[in-house]
Short mmCIF file of all heavy atoms in Angstrom, two decimals:
data_model
loop_
_atom_site.label_atom_id
_atom_site.label_comp_id
_atom_site.label_asym_id
_atom_site.label_seq_id
_atom_site.Cartn_x
_atom_site.Cartn_y
_atom_site.Cartn_z
N VAL A 26 102.42 103.48 98.60
CA VAL A 26 103.79 103.69 98.14
C VAL A 26 104.65 102.48 98.51
O VAL A 26 105.45 102.00 97.69
CB VAL A 26 104.38 105.00 98.72
CG1 VAL A 26 105.89 105.06 98.54
CG2 VAL A 26 103.71 106.21 98.09
N ALA A 27 104.47 101.97 99.71
CA ALA A 27 105.26 100.82 100.16
C ALA A 27 105.02 99.60 99.26
O ALA A 27 105.98 98.95 98.83
CB ALA A 27 104.94 100.48 101.61
N ILE A 28 103.76 99.29 98.98
CA ILE A 28 103.52 98.10 98.15
C ILE A 28 103.89 98.34 96.69
O ILE A 28 104.27 97.42 95.99
CB ILE A 28 102.07 97.57 98.28
CG1 ILE A 28 101.02 98.57 97.83
CG2 ILE A 28 101.80 97.08 99.68
CD1 ILE A 28 99.60 98.03 97.80
N ALA A 29 103.83 99.59 96.23
CA ALA A 29 104.22 99.89 94.85
C ALA A 29 105.73 99.80 94.67
O ALA A 29 106.21 99.39 93.61
CB ALA A 29 103.73 101.27 94.44
N VAL A 30 106.48 100.15 95.70
CA VAL A 30 107.93 100.06 95.63
C VAL A 30 108.37 98.61 95.48
O VAL A 30 109.31 98.31 94.73
CB VAL A 30 108.58 100.70 96.88
CG1 VAL A 30 110.04 100.31 97.03
CG2 VAL A 30 108.44 102.21 96.82
N PHE A 31 107.70 97.70 96.17
CA PHE A 31 108.10 96.30 96.12
C PHE A 31 107.55 95.56 94.89
O PHE A 31 108.05 94.49 94.55
CB PHE A 31 107.65 95.57 97.40
CG PHE A 31 108.43 96.02 98.60
CD1 PHE A 31 107.82 96.75 99.61
CD2 PHE A 31 109.78 95.74 98.72
CE1 PHE A 31 108.53 97.17 100.72
CE2 PHE A 31 110.50 96.16 99.82
CZ PHE A 31 109.88 96.89 100.83
N ALA A 32 106.55 96.11 94.24
CA ALA A 32 106.00 95.46 93.04
C ALA A 32 105.52 96.52 92.05
O ALA A 32 104.32 96.68 91.83
CB ALA A 32 104.86 94.53 93.44
N PRO A 33 106.46 97.25 91.43
CA PRO A 33 106.04 98.34 90.54
C PRO A 33 105.25 97.88 89.31
O PRO A 33 104.38 98.60 88.85
CB PRO A 33 107.37 98.99 90.13
CG PRO A 33 108.43 98.01 90.46
CD PRO A 33 107.89 97.12 91.55
N LYS A 34 105.55 96.71 88.79
CA LYS A 34 104.81 96.23 87.62
C LYS A 34 103.36 95.94 87.98
O LYS A 34 102.45 96.23 87.20
CB LYS A 34 105.47 94.98 87.03
CG LYS A 34 106.77 95.29 86.33
CD LYS A 34 107.35 94.06 85.69
CE LYS A 34 108.68 94.40 85.04
NZ LYS A 34 109.32 93.25 84.43
N GLU A 35 103.13 95.35 89.15
CA GLU A 35 101.75 95.08 89.60
C GLU A 35 101.00 96.38 89.82
O GLU A 35 99.81 96.46 89.55
CB GLU A 35 101.76 94.28 90.92
CG GLU A 35 101.93 92.81 90.77
CD GLU A 35 101.74 92.11 92.11
OE1 GLU A 35 100.95 92.59 92.95
OE2 GLU A 35 102.38 91.08 92.31
N ALA A 36 101.68 97.38 90.35
CA ALA A 36 101.02 98.65 90.67
C ALA A 36 100.48 99.34 89.42
O ALA A 36 99.46 100.01 89.48
CB ALA A 36 101.99 99.57 91.40
N ASN A 37 101.18 99.16 88.31
CA ASN A 37 100.76 99.83 87.07
C ASN A 37 99.87 98.95 86.19
O ASN A 37 99.41 99.41 85.16
CB ASN A 37 102.00 100.27 86.28
CG ASN A 37 102.73 101.38 86.96
OD1 ASN A 37 102.12 102.23 87.61
ND2 ASN A 37 104.05 101.39 86.86
N ALA A 38 99.66 97.72 86.58
CA ALA A 38 98.85 96.81 85.75
C ALA A 38 97.38 97.21 85.80
O ALA A 38 96.87 97.63 86.84
CB ALA A 38 99.02 95.37 86.24
N SER A 39 96.72 97.05 84.67
CA SER A 39 95.29 97.34 84.65
C SER A 39 94.53 96.13 85.19
O SER A 39 95.06 95.02 85.25
CB SER A 39 94.83 97.68 83.24
OG SER A 39 95.10 96.60 82.37
N LEU A 40 93.28 96.36 85.56
CA LEU A 40 92.46 95.29 86.10
C LEU A 40 92.11 94.28 85.00
O LEU A 40 91.77 94.67 83.89
CB LEU A 40 91.16 95.85 86.68
CG LEU A 40 91.29 96.80 87.87
CD1 LEU A 40 89.90 97.30 88.27
CD2 LEU A 40 91.97 96.14 89.04
N ASP A 41 92.19 93.01 85.35
CA ASP A 41 91.76 92.00 84.39
C ASP A 41 90.26 91.75 84.58
O ASP A 41 89.61 92.36 85.45
CB ASP A 41 92.57 90.71 84.52
CG ASP A 41 92.44 90.04 85.88
OD1 ASP A 41 91.50 90.35 86.63
OD2 ASP A 41 93.29 89.18 86.18
N GLU A 42 89.69 90.85 83.79
CA GLU A 42 88.25 90.59 83.83
C GLU A 42 87.81 90.10 85.21
O GLU A 42 86.77 90.52 85.72
CB GLU A 42 87.88 89.56 82.76
CG GLU A 42 86.39 89.32 82.65
CD GLU A 42 85.61 90.56 82.26
OE1 GLU A 42 86.11 91.40 81.51
OE2 GLU A 42 84.46 90.70 82.74
N ARG A 43 88.59 89.22 85.81
CA ARG A 43 88.25 88.69 87.13
C ARG A 43 88.24 89.81 88.18
O ARG A 43 87.33 89.89 89.01
CB ARG A 43 89.27 87.62 87.53
CG ARG A 43 89.05 87.05 88.91
CD ARG A 43 90.08 85.95 89.20
NE ARG A 43 89.95 85.49 90.54
CZ ARG A 43 90.76 85.84 91.54
NH1 ARG A 43 91.77 86.65 91.32
NH2 ARG A 43 90.56 85.38 92.75
N GLU A 44 89.23 90.69 88.12
CA GLU A 44 89.30 91.78 89.09
C GLU A 44 88.16 92.79 88.88
O GLU A 44 87.61 93.30 89.87
CB GLU A 44 90.66 92.48 89.00
CG GLU A 44 91.79 91.63 89.54
CD GLU A 44 93.14 92.29 89.37
OE1 GLU A 44 93.37 92.94 88.33
OE2 GLU A 44 93.95 92.14 90.29
N ARG A 45 87.81 93.04 87.65
CA ARG A 45 86.66 93.94 87.41
C ARG A 45 85.39 93.36 88.01
O ARG A 45 84.57 94.08 88.58
CB ARG A 45 86.50 94.20 85.91
CG ARG A 45 87.50 95.21 85.38
CD ARG A 45 87.12 95.71 83.99
NE ARG A 45 87.29 94.70 82.97
CZ ARG A 45 88.42 94.46 82.32
NH1 ARG A 45 89.50 95.15 82.62
NH2 ARG A 45 88.48 93.53 81.39
N MET A 46 85.21 92.04 87.89
CA MET A 46 84.04 91.37 88.47
C MET A 46 84.08 91.46 90.00
O MET A 46 83.06 91.71 90.64
CB MET A 46 83.98 89.91 88.03
CG MET A 46 82.77 89.17 88.55
SD MET A 46 81.21 89.84 87.95
CE MET A 46 81.20 89.20 86.31
N ILE A 47 85.26 91.28 90.58
CA ILE A 47 85.41 91.38 92.03
C ILE A 47 85.04 92.78 92.49
O ILE A 47 84.29 92.96 93.46
CB ILE A 47 86.85 91.02 92.45
CG1 ILE A 47 87.06 89.50 92.33
CG2 ILE A 47 87.16 91.50 93.86
CD1 ILE A 47 88.49 89.05 92.51
N PHE A 48 85.54 93.80 91.81
CA PHE A 48 85.24 95.18 92.19
C PHE A 48 83.74 95.46 92.08
O PHE A 48 83.16 96.13 92.93
CB PHE A 48 86.04 96.15 91.32
CG PHE A 48 87.43 96.40 91.80
CD1 PHE A 48 88.31 95.36 92.03
CD2 PHE A 48 87.88 97.69 92.01
CE1 PHE A 48 89.60 95.58 92.47
CE2 PHE A 48 89.17 97.93 92.45
CZ PHE A 48 90.03 96.88 92.68
N ALA A 49 83.12 94.97 91.02
CA ALA A 49 81.69 95.22 90.82
C ALA A 49 80.87 94.54 91.92
O ALA A 49 79.96 95.16 92.48
CB ALA A 49 81.25 94.72 89.45
N ARG A 50 81.17 93.29 92.22
CA ARG A 50 80.40 92.57 93.24
C ARG A 50 80.62 93.17 94.63
O ARG A 50 79.67 93.31 95.40
CB ARG A 50 80.78 91.08 93.24
CG ARG A 50 80.25 90.37 92.00
CD ARG A 50 80.58 88.91 92.00
NE ARG A 50 79.82 88.21 93.02
CZ ARG A 50 80.03 86.95 93.34
NH1 ARG A 50 80.96 86.24 92.73
NH2 ARG A 50 79.31 86.38 94.29
N ALA A 51 81.86 93.53 94.93
CA ALA A 51 82.16 94.13 96.23
C ALA A 51 81.47 95.48 96.38
O ALA A 51 80.91 95.81 97.43
CB ALA A 51 83.66 94.27 96.42
N GLY A 52 81.49 96.28 95.32
CA GLY A 52 80.82 97.58 95.35
C GLY A 52 79.31 97.45 95.50
O GLY A 52 78.68 98.24 96.21
N ASN A 53 78.74 96.47 94.85
CA ASN A 53 77.31 96.22 94.97
C ASN A 53 76.95 95.86 96.41
O ASN A 53 75.99 96.39 96.98
CB ASN A 53 76.91 95.09 94.01
CG ASN A 53 75.42 94.89 93.94
OD1 ASN A 53 74.68 95.86 93.90
ND2 ASN A 53 74.99 93.65 93.92
#
C-alpha cells in the first residue's frame, strides 16, 4: 500500500517483456 500510494501508475502497470523474463528466471 505504501509503495502504491507513492507511485499509483507503476502499481497498475502490467509486466513488460523484460520483467516477465526476470520473473521466469527468478522462479526457475
Side-chain angles (χ1 to χ4, degrees):
V26 166
I28 62 174
V30 165
F31 290 111
K34 288 184 182 178
E35 277 188 31
N37 291 326
S39 59
L40 297 178
D41 62 17
E42 185 61 34
R43 177 178 175 258
E44 289 176 322
R45 283 194 289 274
M46 182 63 77
I47 287 171
F48 276 54
R50 289 182 69 188
N53 187 42

